[in-house]
Amino acid sequence: MKQALKYLAAFLTAFTLMSVMGCASTSTQEGTGEYLDDSLITSKVKSAILGEADLKVFDINVETFKGVVQLSGFVDTPAAASKAVEVARKVGGVKSVKNDIRIK
């Protein structure tokens, strides 16, 4: 019986360690909490861009990884691209903004 308890304890310890490691982040993969935070940041940035009368007519894509927002898509003027970056930077939780917006 003691042998079975030792194996069970070892299994539970290994399972717990693997579960915790599965939720941890690396430099190329987000942890669960970071993913949820980034999803929230992406939603806030999209809402902020849609709230700008000058920008809502454009198709601007927003992606976030570890607080870094990447903007892509097409706009008509350099001023519109700059405005989108400015709006994104003001959103809480944004660490930096990568501007991949192209001018038509």
Side-chain angles (χ1 to χ4, degrees):
M1 185 68 174
K2 283 187 176 183
Q3 190 73 10
L5 287 176
K6 285 183 182 179
Y7 285 127
L8 180 61
F11 172 76
L12 290 175
T13 302
F15 180 77
T16 302
L17 287 173
M18 289 173 55
S19 296
V20 170
M21 295 290 289
C23 293
S25 66
T26 65
S27 62
T28 59
Q29 182 179 0
E30 294 176 305
T32 305
E34 289 173 321
Y35 176 79
L36 294 175
D37 291 345
D38 285 345
S39 296
L40 182 61
I41 291 170
T42 297
S43 296
K44 286 181 178 179
V45 171
K46 286 180 178 181
S47 294
I49 287 173
L50 286 174
E52 290 290 324
D54 299 342
L55 299 176
K56 71 170 139 185
V57 296
F58 298 114
D59 185 24
I60 299 173
N61 301 310
V62 180
E63 293 182 31
T64 308
F65 183 74
K66 294 190 175 192
V68 178
V69 173
Q70 180 175 355
L71 302 177
S72 60
F74 295 93
V75 295
D76 289 337
T77 65
S82 295
K83 181 69 173 182
V85 171
E86 177 186 328
V87 167
R89 282 191 178 128
K90 291 181 181 177
V91 172
V94 173
K95 294 179 181 175
S96 66
V97 178
K98 292 183 180 179
N99 182 5
D100 289 330
I101 297 174
R102 304 289 181 232
I103 312 302
K104 291 183 194 177

